[in-house]
Amino acid sequence: MASQSQAIQQLLQAEKRAAEKVADARKRKARRLKQATGRQVQGMQGSQQRNREHVLAQLLGMVCDIRPQVHPNYRLAA
């Protein structure tokens, strides 16, 4: 009877250790995912800033490039 009780205790301890290992693994995975997501967000923000500057420079170039032209439908009054 004592050996059964001891075996049950060993199984319970092994189950507890396994549960702790699983919990630690989940914490590590969550931490790695959070770090990777943070790096990805930083990369996207940097890319957005570079693209924004490019688009603004292009837009300002188009706005400031004024070429006065006579409209093709314009007729000189005689």
Side-chain angles (χ1 to χ4, degrees):
M1 195 68 152
S3 64
Q4 281 184 337
S5 175
Q6 186 179 10
I8 291 173
Q9 290 299 321
Q10 286 178 342
L11 286 173
L12 290 173
Q13 288 175 354
E15 185 178 354
K16 184 177 177 181
R17 283 192 306 267
E20 289 172 356
K21 284 185 178 184
V22 168
D24 288 341
R26 285 183 178 153
K27 287 178 187 177
R28 284 194 308 271
K29 182 180 179 182
R31 191 178 321 119
R32 283 194 315 268
L33 181 62
K34 191 173 183 178
Q35 289 173 348
T37 304
R39 284 191 299 263
Q40 189 176 19
V41 167
Q42 287 176 342
M44 287 191 313
Q45 286 174 341
S47 176
Q48 180 212 9
Q49 185 63 28
R50 285 189 302 275
N51 289 340
R52 181 175 183 253
E53 291 172 4
H54 176 72
V55 168
L56 286 176
Q58 193 175 24
L59 184 60
L60 283 174
M62 292 171 72
V63 168
C64 294
D65 186 24
I66 299 173
R67 296 183 189 152
Q69 297 176 349
V70 176
H71 195 275
N73 292 339
Y74 179 74
R75 295 188 187 146
L76 291 175

